[in-house]
Amino acid sequence: MDPELGQEVPVDGIHKALRQLWAQDEARTNACLINLAVYSEEKGSLQKNSAIVRDLTREHACRALLIEMDRGAKDASIRAWITAHCHLSGGKKSVCCEQISFALTGVSRGRLRNTVFAHLTSDLPLILWWQGELSPIFEERLYAVIDRFVFDSSDWSKPHVSFAIIEQALSSGRVLVVQDLAWTRTYHYRLAVASLFDDPLAQRALPHIESVEIEHHPKHRNSALQLLAWLAVQAGWRTGLELHLAVAKKHGNREGFSFERKTGEAVAATLLSNESSAPLGRLCIRGGGMEIVIDRAPQSSHIHMRLSVGDHVTESLAPAGCDDCGMLIGEQLARGGKNSLFLKILPMFRNLLDG
Amino acid sequence: MSNPFREDLVSRTRPEACTVVIFGATGDLTHRKLVPALYNLALDGELPPGVKIIGFARREKSDEVFRQGLEELNRKVSRNGHDDQVWASFAPNIHYHQSEFTDDDGYKRLAETLDAIDRDRGGKGNRLFYIASAPEFFDDILSHLKKAGLNQAKEGCWSRVIVEKPFGTDLKTAQHLNRVVSQTFHERDTYRIDHYLGKETAQNLMVLRFANAIFEPLWNSRYIEQVQITCSENLGMEGGRGGYYDKSGALRDMVQNHLLQLLSLVAMEPPTDLSADGVRDEKVKVIRSLRKWDTPEKVAANVVRAQYIKGSVSGKVVPGYREEDRVDPESMTESYVALRLMIDTWRWSGVPFYIRVGKQLPKKATEISVHFKSPPGVLFNTTSMNATGGNVLAIRIQPDEGISLRMVSKIPGTSLRLEPVKMDFQYSTSFGKASPEAYERLLLDAIAGDATLFARRDEVEEAWKFIDCIEHAWHQEGSTVPMAEYVAGTWGPKEADDLLHEDGNSWRRL
């Protein structure tokens, strides 16, 4: 018995063992709205992910399948554990979600699909949260069975290569919703920008924006680039010729990009990497006599929004969302949707990413 | 000019910066519901920047004292708890405006304050007037708003009004109030609030019916035997409630608004679209199609009114209705009403809709149950089928919001015995996150200009037309419609049970 993963069971006896688990206590309710598979190639990930899933199941009832893969091992093997995460609902009823953990070693084609995914709850969507770098395991026959593919591109050492694989999966003709947690991190900044531009004075200044500055933590450059790509796509800016010089404009912790407004004028964008910044720190948009500053102190649960146009100044607070991956997944699950906006900005983001 | 950054970001109508003016700002509703709702919207980042709140009331108070009182209660009742940092940013947007509701000068000063706020906000002059005062001031407030020109929106802006219940006490007063409102605000800017429609399960009714292909084909008189709507409360006239209630009664207080709204959501035809008028057009047709109980005989045959007598609720001895504080000892006001309603449409011909609502019943619960016809008893033992009954789809509005479906199943064993089993969906179990309070959703909708969950003028008037017939039969001189009694803590009078027994039905046990 593993204190976190529960009871070890033979792989061909998982179903029976789960039934026995429920038979032990009739006062519990088994709740399940989705299949959530969490894949990692990091050693010790099962215990870490089990703790994340325990928190996640407070708000998102699911059957969790945790997978730890050691592709470097010589021999192919598979071990499984079952447990349930139970929470008191409204202080009275104990609501539980099942978890099956798999430790796989060695390379054996199709095991994930054939063995692990044989334990899905039928008719419910499958969400696969891929942790770390994309590996050859992520191939067409795998993503053909997934409804939603979640990853965090901030973990990727070569994002341009991995995003090319993602685009290939998206163009396969399958209905696959992809969700980058780096994009989820930008959500509250996007909401803040949108709400500040509800102000007619800010809207009037929109065609005259001259500069954008985004401060970010070094690990979260992709979030900053995605936020910039979103601003550019929604505002209708084109990437100018100068974009090709963007890499050359990199000086220390500063990166420069330039865009062209519909009317032909330039918009200068700067990304500032700062070790002491929140994942996304300060966003500043200037032009047409307007200044927007959206600022978040590290660890702060709120972002501060400020709009000034001449004498007109509005300031307010908004939630910053969460930084933790588990909570970001929870936020994403609560929101659902097809994530079409991400697909819309993806080409521009890749353009910026490739420099 | 549109805001391109809004595109694809959220799937709801966009709320705009505005000033919310609450009339009756020192009352319980403002402190317990309205300001905590606005605070929670701010906490969730749903409230647009620049929203200001002005409390309008008669008592002398400073901004600071007003804010302190609101903060004190917000700490106790806020759904998401109280965050000092967020409150510190939220509170400066709250102001107090002292004035009598009939004082011209008070409204003039209000207009000046609003103009100053608009100037600070950059000219955006959206205004939402929330009339949460006692009903006798509705007329005065509306006419003074008009006199001060506050009903007129500036160019490119809007001016809306939310009116709390009771929206009139009968058809005549409702028509009068509607006239006063329509002389002051356009119908499109008038939001008659019914907080039941802001509840998650009430909103889910349309989704359940029209997003699931399995229910709608069965949703008619061919397959449905009866529908029951129950709203029970385990409270009486505590806290001086008797003064208001004794002038109103269960029929006017609950049935005219909340329960007829729920009924119309259950019985309406699919709307052509999800626009406010698309949905409300269909809802009003249901109310209009209700068979009128327009003679004392019809009322006596289809409606049961009752008062509770001394009994015990939740283990506590409670007095009878006529012994309650601020209740007339000879009161003829009903604390309980049960009705059999018939909807004369093709879809619902011959299907009884039973409604019951009452005080001092065993527990607090609001539920809609749809009872399907039993299958022909040709295959299984007829007796056992009769014992188990047909399928029941129960939609729980409160508490434990959720939906359950009762089905018949074979008991394991060698003999063929059938028993009902229940498939249960609970919001709290499936979605751990708490739903927003009804007032949060409704306030945000009004700020965003979405009137779908608010009652329209014709809905209110049609509902009163139906209710007035019953009230008239009850209260006309020499009325022969009896007032039944029930012991507090029971599920109502025997006469209400008999009402269903006549049709071979019985109330669902809750």
Side-chain angles (χ1 to χ4, degrees), chain A residues 31 33 58-59 89 92-93 95 187 190-191 194-195 197-198 200 203 206 230-231 234 302 305 312 316-317 319 344, chain B residues 1-7 9-10 14 43-45 49 83 86 89 120-122 124 400 426 428-432:
Chain A
L33 284 181
R58 287 180 200 282
E59 291 196 0
S89 164
K92 15 182 194 178
K93 189 183 278 184
V95 178
Y187 179 71
R190 287 183 278 128
L191 268 188
S195 64
F197 273 101
D198 283 337
Q203 274 186 40
L206 176 61
W230 172 74
L231 283 168
Q234 297 306 104
H302 288 83
M305 301 148 62
H312 170 59
S316 57
L317 284 180
K344 186 177 168 190
Chain B
M1 190 187 284
S2 67
N3 176 357
F5 300 112
R6 280 278 169 203
E7 192 191 328
L9 205 52
V10 276
R14 179 172 58 87
L43 193 65
D44 287 347
D83 182 315
V86 176
S89 136
D120 283 352
R121 204 192 280 132
K124 191 87 174 159
D400 299 331
Q426 287 199 22
S428 60
T429 304
S430 298
F431 307 106

Short mmCIF file of all heavy atoms in Angstrom, two decimals, chain A residues 31 33 58-59 89 92-93 95 187 190-191 194-195 197-198 200 203 206 230-231 234 302 305 312 316-317 319 344, chain B residues 1-7 9-10 14 43-45 49 83 86 89 120-122 124 400 426 428-432:
data_model
loop_
_atom_site.label_atom_id
_atom_site.label_comp_id
_atom_site.label_asym_id
_atom_site.label_seq_id
_atom_site.Cartn_x
_atom_site.Cartn_y
_atom_site.Cartn_z
N ALA A 31 -18.38 10.28 -7.86
CA ALA A 31 -18.74 11.32 -8.82
C ALA A 31 -17.72 11.35 -9.96
O ALA A 31 -16.52 11.19 -9.72
CB ALA A 31 -18.79 12.67 -8.14
N LEU A 33 -17.28 13.38 -13.91
CA LEU A 33 -17.77 14.13 -15.07
C LEU A 33 -16.83 14.02 -16.26
O LEU A 33 -17.22 14.26 -17.39
CB LEU A 33 -17.93 15.61 -14.73
CG LEU A 33 -19.12 16.02 -13.89
CD1 LEU A 33 -19.11 17.51 -13.67
CD2 LEU A 33 -20.42 15.62 -14.57
N ARG A 58 -11.82 18.45 -5.64
CA ARG A 58 -12.77 19.20 -4.79
C ARG A 58 -13.80 19.91 -5.67
O ARG A 58 -14.94 20.10 -5.28
CB ARG A 58 -12.04 20.27 -3.97
CG ARG A 58 -11.23 19.73 -2.85
CD ARG A 58 -10.54 20.86 -2.09
NE ARG A 58 -9.43 20.34 -1.35
CZ ARG A 58 -9.54 19.68 -0.20
NH1 ARG A 58 -10.72 19.51 0.33
NH2 ARG A 58 -8.48 19.21 0.41
N GLU A 59 -13.36 20.37 -6.84
CA GLU A 59 -14.28 21.11 -7.71
C GLU A 59 -14.59 20.39 -9.02
O GLU A 59 -15.57 20.71 -9.67
CB GLU A 59 -13.70 22.50 -8.03
CG GLU A 59 -13.70 23.40 -6.82
CD GLU A 59 -13.52 24.85 -7.17
OE1 GLU A 59 -13.39 25.18 -8.35
OE2 GLU A 59 -13.50 25.66 -6.21
N SER A 89 -18.92 17.17 0.87
CA SER A 89 -19.63 18.16 0.06
C SER A 89 -20.66 18.85 0.95
O SER A 89 -21.51 18.19 1.52
CB SER A 89 -20.32 17.44 -1.09
OG SER A 89 -21.28 18.25 -1.67
N LYS A 92 -21.52 17.58 4.53
CA LYS A 92 -22.26 16.38 4.91
C LYS A 92 -21.85 15.16 4.09
O LYS A 92 -21.29 14.22 4.62
CB LYS A 92 -23.77 16.59 4.82
CG LYS A 92 -24.22 17.81 4.05
CD LYS A 92 -25.70 17.99 4.04
CE LYS A 92 -26.05 19.02 2.97
NZ LYS A 92 -27.37 19.29 2.77
N LYS A 93 -22.11 15.20 2.79
CA LYS A 93 -21.92 13.97 2.01
C LYS A 93 -20.45 13.80 1.57
O LYS A 93 -19.82 14.76 1.15
CB LYS A 93 -22.81 14.04 0.78
CG LYS A 93 -22.85 12.74 0.02
CD LYS A 93 -23.69 12.90 -1.22
CE LYS A 93 -25.16 12.77 -0.94
NZ LYS A 93 -25.97 12.83 -2.14
N VAL A 95 -18.04 12.84 -1.06
CA VAL A 95 -18.04 12.64 -2.50
C VAL A 95 -16.64 12.22 -2.93
O VAL A 95 -15.66 12.86 -2.57
CB VAL A 95 -18.45 13.93 -3.24
CG1 VAL A 95 -18.41 13.73 -4.74
CG2 VAL A 95 -19.83 14.37 -2.80
N TYR A 187 -5.04 34.81 -19.25
CA TYR A 187 -6.49 35.06 -19.29
C TYR A 187 -6.89 36.34 -18.54
O TYR A 187 -7.61 37.19 -19.09
CB TYR A 187 -7.25 33.86 -18.71
CG TYR A 187 -8.75 34.04 -18.68
CD1 TYR A 187 -9.49 34.04 -19.85
CD2 TYR A 187 -9.43 34.24 -17.48
CE1 TYR A 187 -10.86 34.21 -19.84
CE2 TYR A 187 -10.80 34.41 -17.46
CZ TYR A 187 -11.52 34.40 -18.64
OH TYR A 187 -12.87 34.58 -18.61
N ARG A 190 -5.89 39.41 -20.30
CA ARG A 190 -6.74 39.69 -21.48
C ARG A 190 -8.08 40.29 -21.04
O ARG A 190 -8.57 41.24 -21.66
CB ARG A 190 -6.95 38.40 -22.28
CG ARG A 190 -5.70 37.98 -23.04
CD ARG A 190 -5.93 36.76 -23.90
NE ARG A 190 -5.85 35.52 -23.16
CZ ARG A 190 -6.77 34.57 -23.17
NH1 ARG A 190 -7.88 34.72 -23.87
NH2 ARG A 190 -6.60 33.46 -22.48
N LEU A 191 -8.63 39.72 -19.95
CA LEU A 191 -9.89 40.28 -19.43
C LEU A 191 -9.70 41.73 -19.02
O LEU A 191 -10.55 42.59 -19.28
CB LEU A 191 -10.34 39.49 -18.20
CG LEU A 191 -11.28 38.32 -18.38
CD1 LEU A 191 -11.74 37.83 -17.01
CD2 LEU A 191 -12.51 38.69 -19.21
N ALA A 194 -9.43 43.95 -22.03
CA ALA A 194 -10.75 44.09 -22.65
C ALA A 194 -11.62 45.05 -21.85
O ALA A 194 -12.29 45.92 -22.42
CB ALA A 194 -11.43 42.73 -22.76
N SER A 195 -11.60 44.92 -20.53
CA SER A 195 -12.49 45.77 -19.75
C SER A 195 -12.01 47.22 -19.77
O SER A 195 -12.81 48.14 -19.79
CB SER A 195 -12.66 45.25 -18.32
OG SER A 195 -11.45 45.29 -17.66
N PHE A 197 -10.56 48.64 -22.31
CA PHE A 197 -10.91 49.17 -23.63
C PHE A 197 -12.42 49.28 -23.84
O PHE A 197 -12.87 49.71 -24.89
CB PHE A 197 -10.26 48.34 -24.75
CG PHE A 197 -8.88 48.82 -25.09
CD1 PHE A 197 -7.76 48.15 -24.61
CD2 PHE A 197 -8.69 49.97 -25.84
CE1 PHE A 197 -6.48 48.60 -24.90
CE2 PHE A 197 -7.42 50.43 -26.13
CZ PHE A 197 -6.31 49.74 -25.66
N ASP A 198 -13.21 48.89 -22.82
CA ASP A 198 -14.65 49.19 -22.87
C ASP A 198 -14.87 50.69 -22.73
O ASP A 198 -15.90 51.22 -23.13
CB ASP A 198 -15.40 48.48 -21.74
CG ASP A 198 -15.60 47.01 -22.05
OD1 ASP A 198 -15.56 46.65 -23.23
OD2 ASP A 198 -15.79 46.23 -21.10
N PRO A 200 -14.90 54.32 -23.61
CA PRO A 200 -14.89 54.95 -24.94
C PRO A 200 -13.62 55.75 -25.21
O PRO A 200 -13.16 55.81 -26.35
CB PRO A 200 -16.11 55.86 -24.93
CG PRO A 200 -16.78 55.70 -23.62
CD PRO A 200 -16.06 54.69 -22.80
N GLN A 203 -11.05 53.35 -26.26
CA GLN A 203 -11.34 52.84 -27.61
C GLN A 203 -10.93 53.85 -28.67
O GLN A 203 -10.44 53.50 -29.73
CB GLN A 203 -12.83 52.53 -27.74
CG GLN A 203 -13.15 51.13 -27.26
CD GLN A 203 -14.61 50.77 -27.51
OE1 GLN A 203 -15.18 51.09 -28.54
NE2 GLN A 203 -15.21 50.11 -26.53
N LEU A 206 -7.36 53.53 -29.38
CA LEU A 206 -6.89 52.23 -29.89
C LEU A 206 -6.17 52.31 -31.24
O LEU A 206 -5.10 51.72 -31.42
CB LEU A 206 -8.08 51.25 -29.93
CG LEU A 206 -7.84 49.88 -30.52
CD1 LEU A 206 -6.79 49.10 -29.74
CD2 LEU A 206 -9.15 49.07 -30.53
N TRP A 230 -1.86 38.08 -29.08
CA TRP A 230 -3.30 38.35 -28.97
C TRP A 230 -3.59 39.84 -29.18
O TRP A 230 -4.52 40.20 -29.92
CB TRP A 230 -3.78 37.88 -27.59
CG TRP A 230 -5.19 38.27 -27.27
CD1 TRP A 230 -6.32 37.71 -27.77
CD2 TRP A 230 -5.61 39.30 -26.36
NE1 TRP A 230 -7.43 38.33 -27.23
CE2 TRP A 230 -7.02 39.30 -26.37
CE3 TRP A 230 -4.94 40.21 -25.55
CZ2 TRP A 230 -7.77 40.19 -25.59
CZ3 TRP A 230 -5.69 41.09 -24.77
CH2 TRP A 230 -7.08 41.08 -24.80
N LEU A 231 -2.80 40.70 -28.55
CA LEU A 231 -3.00 42.14 -28.71
C LEU A 231 -2.89 42.52 -30.19
O LEU A 231 -3.72 43.26 -30.72
CB LEU A 231 -1.94 42.92 -27.92
CG LEU A 231 -2.12 43.02 -26.41
CD1 LEU A 231 -0.86 43.55 -25.75
CD2 LEU A 231 -3.31 43.92 -26.06
N GLN A 234 -5.90 40.99 -32.31
CA GLN A 234 -7.19 41.64 -32.05
C GLN A 234 -7.20 43.11 -32.50
O GLN A 234 -8.22 43.62 -32.91
CB GLN A 234 -7.55 41.55 -30.57
CG GLN A 234 -7.74 40.12 -30.06
CD GLN A 234 -8.74 39.32 -30.87
OE1 GLN A 234 -8.36 38.47 -31.66
NE2 GLN A 234 -10.02 39.59 -30.70
N HIS A 302 -4.14 39.61 -6.87
CA HIS A 302 -4.90 40.56 -7.70
C HIS A 302 -3.99 41.35 -8.63
O HIS A 302 -2.81 41.51 -8.36
CB HIS A 302 -5.68 41.53 -6.81
CG HIS A 302 -6.84 40.87 -6.14
ND1 HIS A 302 -6.70 40.15 -4.98
CD2 HIS A 302 -8.13 40.76 -6.49
CE1 HIS A 302 -7.87 39.64 -4.64
NE2 HIS A 302 -8.76 40.00 -5.55
N MET A 305 -5.32 47.57 -12.22
CA MET A 305 -5.55 48.09 -13.57
C MET A 305 -5.67 49.61 -13.50
O MET A 305 -6.38 50.13 -12.64
CB MET A 305 -6.88 47.54 -14.13
CG MET A 305 -6.93 46.04 -14.21
SD MET A 305 -8.61 45.40 -13.98
CE MET A 305 -9.46 46.12 -15.36
N HIS A 312 -8.64 62.00 -17.26
CA HIS A 312 -9.54 60.89 -16.93
C HIS A 312 -8.71 59.68 -16.48
O HIS A 312 -7.93 59.13 -17.27
CB HIS A 312 -10.37 60.56 -18.18
CG HIS A 312 -11.16 59.30 -18.07
ND1 HIS A 312 -12.09 59.10 -17.09
CD2 HIS A 312 -11.14 58.19 -18.84
CE1 HIS A 312 -12.62 57.89 -17.26
NE2 HIS A 312 -12.06 57.32 -18.30
N SER A 316 -8.68 50.08 -10.80
CA SER A 316 -9.44 49.03 -10.11
C SER A 316 -8.58 47.77 -9.95
O SER A 316 -7.51 47.66 -10.55
CB SER A 316 -10.73 48.70 -10.87
OG SER A 316 -10.41 48.32 -12.17
N LEU A 317 -9.09 46.86 -9.15
CA LEU A 317 -8.42 45.58 -8.94
C LEU A 317 -9.21 44.49 -9.65
O LEU A 317 -10.42 44.59 -9.80
CB LEU A 317 -8.39 45.24 -7.45
CG LEU A 317 -7.42 45.96 -6.55
CD1 LEU A 317 -7.58 45.44 -5.13
CD2 LEU A 317 -5.99 45.76 -7.01
N PRO A 319 -9.07 39.91 -10.17
CA PRO A 319 -8.34 38.71 -9.74
C PRO A 319 -7.19 38.40 -10.71
O PRO A 319 -7.34 38.60 -11.91
CB PRO A 319 -9.38 37.60 -9.78
CG PRO A 319 -10.66 38.21 -10.15
CD PRO A 319 -10.44 39.62 -10.57
N LYS A 344 -6.65 31.07 -33.12
CA LYS A 344 -6.59 32.28 -33.95
C LYS A 344 -5.23 32.98 -33.81
O LYS A 344 -4.69 33.49 -34.78
CB LYS A 344 -7.74 33.21 -33.53
CG LYS A 344 -7.91 34.43 -34.37
CD LYS A 344 -9.12 35.20 -33.88
CE LYS A 344 -9.18 36.59 -34.48
NZ LYS A 344 -10.20 37.40 -33.84
N MET B 1 -18.33 52.31 -31.67
CA MET B 1 -17.08 51.56 -31.93
C MET B 1 -17.06 50.31 -31.05
O MET B 1 -17.40 50.38 -29.87
CB MET B 1 -15.88 52.46 -31.60
CG MET B 1 -14.54 51.88 -32.06
SD MET B 1 -13.14 52.86 -31.47
CE MET B 1 -13.22 54.24 -32.58
N SER B 2 -16.68 49.18 -31.62
CA SER B 2 -16.67 47.97 -30.80
C SER B 2 -15.26 47.74 -30.22
O SER B 2 -14.29 48.30 -30.69
CB SER B 2 -17.11 46.78 -31.63
OG SER B 2 -16.14 46.53 -32.61
N ASN B 3 -15.23 46.92 -29.22
CA ASN B 3 -13.97 46.64 -28.53
C ASN B 3 -13.43 45.29 -29.03
O ASN B 3 -13.95 44.25 -28.66
CB ASN B 3 -14.24 46.61 -27.02
CG ASN B 3 -13.03 46.23 -26.21
OD1 ASN B 3 -11.97 45.94 -26.76
ND2 ASN B 3 -13.19 46.24 -24.90
N PRO B 4 -12.38 45.30 -29.86
CA PRO B 4 -11.92 44.02 -30.46
C PRO B 4 -11.38 43.05 -29.42
O PRO B 4 -11.32 41.86 -29.67
CB PRO B 4 -10.80 44.46 -31.41
CG PRO B 4 -10.33 45.77 -30.88
CD PRO B 4 -11.53 46.43 -30.27
N PHE B 5 -10.99 43.56 -28.27
CA PHE B 5 -10.41 42.68 -27.25
C PHE B 5 -11.47 41.86 -26.53
O PHE B 5 -11.15 40.96 -25.77
CB PHE B 5 -9.58 43.50 -26.25
CG PHE B 5 -8.45 44.22 -26.92
CD1 PHE B 5 -8.43 45.60 -27.01
CD2 PHE B 5 -7.41 43.50 -27.50
CE1 PHE B 5 -7.40 46.27 -27.65
CE2 PHE B 5 -6.37 44.16 -28.15
CZ PHE B 5 -6.37 45.54 -28.22
N ARG B 6 -12.72 42.19 -26.74
CA ARG B 6 -13.81 41.42 -26.14
C ARG B 6 -14.09 40.13 -26.92
O ARG B 6 -14.69 39.21 -26.39
CB ARG B 6 -15.10 42.26 -26.12
CG ARG B 6 -15.14 43.25 -25.00
CD ARG B 6 -15.60 42.58 -23.73
NE ARG B 6 -15.40 43.45 -22.57
CZ ARG B 6 -15.29 42.99 -21.33
NH1 ARG B 6 -15.38 41.71 -21.08
NH2 ARG B 6 -15.12 43.81 -20.33
N GLU B 7 -13.70 40.13 -28.16
CA GLU B 7 -14.06 39.03 -29.06
C GLU B 7 -13.61 37.68 -28.50
O GLU B 7 -12.44 37.50 -28.12
CB GLU B 7 -13.38 39.27 -30.42
CG GLU B 7 -13.88 38.38 -31.52
CD GLU B 7 -12.98 38.48 -32.75
OE1 GLU B 7 -12.43 39.57 -32.97
OE2 GLU B 7 -12.84 37.49 -33.44
N LEU B 9 -13.84 36.28 -25.82
CA LEU B 9 -13.25 36.21 -24.48
C LEU B 9 -14.20 35.60 -23.47
O LEU B 9 -13.85 34.71 -22.72
CB LEU B 9 -12.81 37.61 -24.04
CG LEU B 9 -11.69 37.67 -23.02
CD1 LEU B 9 -10.49 36.87 -23.46
CD2 LEU B 9 -11.29 39.11 -22.77
N VAL B 10 -15.42 36.11 -23.44
CA VAL B 10 -16.43 35.52 -22.56
C VAL B 10 -17.72 35.38 -23.34
O VAL B 10 -18.00 36.17 -24.23
CB VAL B 10 -16.70 36.39 -21.29
CG1 VAL B 10 -15.70 36.10 -20.20
CG2 VAL B 10 -16.71 37.85 -21.61
N ARG B 14 -21.77 41.78 -22.63
CA ARG B 14 -20.76 42.54 -21.90
C ARG B 14 -21.39 43.60 -20.96
O ARG B 14 -22.17 44.42 -21.41
CB ARG B 14 -19.87 43.26 -22.92
CG ARG B 14 -18.80 44.11 -22.35
CD ARG B 14 -17.89 44.58 -23.45
NE ARG B 14 -18.62 45.32 -24.48
CZ ARG B 14 -18.86 46.62 -24.42
NH1 ARG B 14 -18.46 47.31 -23.38
NH2 ARG B 14 -19.50 47.23 -25.39
N LEU B 43 -15.03 40.81 -6.90
CA LEU B 43 -14.03 39.83 -6.46
C LEU B 43 -13.72 38.84 -7.58
O LEU B 43 -12.57 38.42 -7.77
CB LEU B 43 -14.57 39.08 -5.23
CG LEU B 43 -13.60 38.23 -4.43
CD1 LEU B 43 -12.55 39.10 -3.78
CD2 LEU B 43 -14.35 37.47 -3.35
N ASP B 44 -14.73 38.46 -8.33
CA ASP B 44 -14.55 37.52 -9.44
C ASP B 44 -14.08 38.21 -10.71
O ASP B 44 -13.92 37.56 -11.75
CB ASP B 44 -15.87 36.78 -9.75
CG ASP B 44 -16.20 35.75 -8.67
OD1 ASP B 44 -15.30 35.44 -7.87
OD2 ASP B 44 -17.35 35.26 -8.63
N GLY B 45 -13.91 39.53 -10.65
CA GLY B 45 -13.47 40.27 -11.83
C GLY B 45 -14.56 40.42 -12.87
O GLY B 45 -14.29 40.71 -14.03
N PRO B 49 -14.67 47.91 -14.64
CA PRO B 49 -14.05 48.99 -13.88
C PRO B 49 -14.92 50.24 -13.97
O PRO B 49 -15.60 50.45 -14.97
CB PRO B 49 -12.72 49.23 -14.59
CG PRO B 49 -12.51 48.07 -15.49
CD PRO B 49 -13.84 47.46 -15.76
N ASP B 83 -12.47 39.88 1.50
CA ASP B 83 -11.04 40.14 1.30
C ASP B 83 -10.81 41.63 1.56
O ASP B 83 -11.36 42.48 0.85
CB ASP B 83 -10.66 39.75 -0.14
CG ASP B 83 -9.19 39.94 -0.44
OD1 ASP B 83 -8.64 41.00 -0.07
OD2 ASP B 83 -8.59 39.04 -1.05
N VAL B 86 -9.54 43.70 -1.44
CA VAL B 86 -10.56 43.97 -2.48
C VAL B 86 -11.58 44.97 -1.94
O VAL B 86 -11.99 45.90 -2.65
CB VAL B 86 -11.25 42.66 -2.92
CG1 VAL B 86 -12.35 42.95 -3.92
CG2 VAL B 86 -10.24 41.71 -3.53
N SER B 89 -10.47 48.45 -2.18
CA SER B 89 -10.55 49.04 -3.51
C SER B 89 -12.01 49.24 -3.96
O SER B 89 -12.33 50.11 -4.75
CB SER B 89 -9.77 48.15 -4.47
OG SER B 89 -10.44 47.95 -5.66
N ASP B 120 -15.98 62.34 -14.17
CA ASP B 120 -14.77 61.63 -13.72
C ASP B 120 -14.52 60.38 -14.54
O ASP B 120 -13.39 59.97 -14.75
CB ASP B 120 -14.92 61.19 -12.26
CG ASP B 120 -14.73 62.36 -11.32
OD1 ASP B 120 -14.33 63.44 -11.83
OD2 ASP B 120 -14.97 62.21 -10.11
N ARG B 121 -15.62 59.76 -14.97
CA ARG B 121 -15.49 58.51 -15.71
C ARG B 121 -15.24 58.75 -17.20
O ARG B 121 -15.17 57.81 -17.97
CB ARG B 121 -16.78 57.69 -15.51
CG ARG B 121 -16.60 56.21 -15.70
CD ARG B 121 -17.91 55.50 -15.78
NE ARG B 121 -18.51 55.27 -14.50
CZ ARG B 121 -19.78 55.54 -14.19
NH1 ARG B 121 -20.57 56.08 -15.08
NH2 ARG B 121 -20.25 55.28 -13.00
N GLY B 122 -15.18 59.98 -17.57
CA GLY B 122 -14.90 60.27 -18.98
C GLY B 122 -16.14 60.37 -19.81
O GLY B 122 -16.13 60.05 -21.00
N LYS B 124 -18.99 58.72 -19.61
CA LYS B 124 -19.84 57.53 -19.75
C LYS B 124 -20.96 57.61 -18.70
O LYS B 124 -20.70 57.42 -17.51
CB LYS B 124 -18.97 56.29 -19.53
CG LYS B 124 -19.65 55.01 -19.91
CD LYS B 124 -19.45 54.69 -21.37
CE LYS B 124 -20.02 53.32 -21.67
NZ LYS B 124 -20.32 53.14 -23.06
N ASP B 400 -29.89 21.96 -2.19
CA ASP B 400 -29.31 20.83 -2.93
C ASP B 400 -29.74 20.86 -4.39
O ASP B 400 -30.33 19.91 -4.90
CB ASP B 400 -29.76 19.47 -2.32
CG ASP B 400 -29.32 19.30 -0.88
OD1 ASP B 400 -28.27 19.88 -0.55
OD2 ASP B 400 -30.03 18.64 -0.12
N GLN B 426 -26.43 16.08 -8.66
CA GLN B 426 -26.42 17.22 -7.74
C GLN B 426 -25.35 18.21 -8.18
O GLN B 426 -24.22 17.80 -8.43
CB GLN B 426 -26.07 16.75 -6.33
CG GLN B 426 -27.18 16.01 -5.66
CD GLN B 426 -26.98 15.98 -4.14
OE1 GLN B 426 -26.29 16.81 -3.59
NE2 GLN B 426 -27.61 15.02 -3.51
N SER B 428 -23.77 20.34 -6.39
CA SER B 428 -22.66 20.45 -5.44
C SER B 428 -21.71 19.26 -5.55
O SER B 428 -20.53 19.39 -5.27
CB SER B 428 -23.20 20.57 -4.02
OG SER B 428 -23.96 19.43 -3.73
N THR B 429 -22.23 18.11 -5.95
CA THR B 429 -21.37 16.93 -6.07
C THR B 429 -20.60 16.95 -7.38
O THR B 429 -19.41 16.66 -7.42
CB THR B 429 -22.25 15.65 -6.02
OG1 THR B 429 -23.00 15.67 -4.82
CG2 THR B 429 -21.40 14.41 -6.05
N SER B 430 -21.30 17.30 -8.44
CA SER B 430 -20.66 17.26 -9.75
C SER B 430 -19.77 18.47 -10.01
O SER B 430 -18.71 18.36 -10.61
CB SER B 430 -21.72 17.19 -10.85
OG SER B 430 -22.47 16.02 -10.70
N PHE B 431 -20.24 19.64 -9.57
CA PHE B 431 -19.45 20.85 -9.76
C PHE B 431 -19.16 21.39 -8.36
O PHE B 431 -20.04 21.96 -7.73
CB PHE B 431 -20.22 21.91 -10.55
CG PHE B 431 -20.74 21.40 -11.87
CD1 PHE B 431 -22.09 21.13 -12.05
CD2 PHE B 431 -19.88 21.16 -12.91
CE1 PHE B 431 -22.58 20.66 -13.25
CE2 PHE B 431 -20.36 20.69 -14.13
CZ PHE B 431 -21.71 20.43 -14.30
N GLY B 432 -17.93 21.18 -7.89
CA GLY B 432 -17.60 21.58 -6.52
C GLY B 432 -17.75 23.07 -6.29
O GLY B 432 -18.02 23.52 -5.20
#
